[in-house]
Amino acid sequence: ACFDEFNRIDIEVLSVIAQQMLNIQSAIIQEKEIFEFEGSQIRLDPTTATFITMNPGYAGRTELPDNLKALFRPMAMMVPDYALIAEIRLDPTTA
């Protein structure tokens, strides 16, 4: 699953999501085939993954609670420098 603009969600909802994600991750670590989620028995796909995107620093963005931060690995992205990439690709001495 991929949740876009994750830090636009209200802090109260993020806290609930953190508990749900912890439940799912615990079931994966314990290699369970079926686990209880919000009162229902759910079959677990052990290859599942969850990704979130955030744009920090914009107005209206929420800081993630620490218990939710602990469940995800941070990764930074930036806009590629297309001119530099083209220069390197077209330079015959870098072939």
Side-chain angles (χ1 to χ4, degrees), residues 5-81:
E5 297 282 335
F6 200 68
N7 56 333
R8 292 181 70 182
I9 299 172
D10 291 335
I11 190 73
E12 296 83 14
V13 176
L14 289 174
S15 292
V16 172
I17 292 170
Q19 291 303 312
Q20 293 171 335
M21 290 303 306
L22 181 59
N23 187 11
I24 294 167
Q25 286 187 353
S26 295
I28 292 170
I29 290 169
Q30 296 171 20
E31 299 181 355
K32 292 185 175 182
E33 292 183 17
I34 297 175
F35 74 109
E36 186 172 328
F37 183 79
E38 299 289 312
S40 298
Q41 295 293 315
I42 304 288
R43 189 179 66 79
L44 179 65
D45 178 356
T47 63
T48 191
T50 305
F51 302 91
I52 62 174
T53 66
M54 300 182 355
N55 290 308
Y58 289 91
R61 301 305 198 263
T62 305
E63 181 70 23
L64 292 184
D66 288 339
N67 61 345
L68 190 55
K69 279 184 192 176
L71 299 175
F72 293 95
R73 293 183 187 155
M75 184 178 91
M77 296 180 73
M78 56 189 270
V79 176
D81 184 343

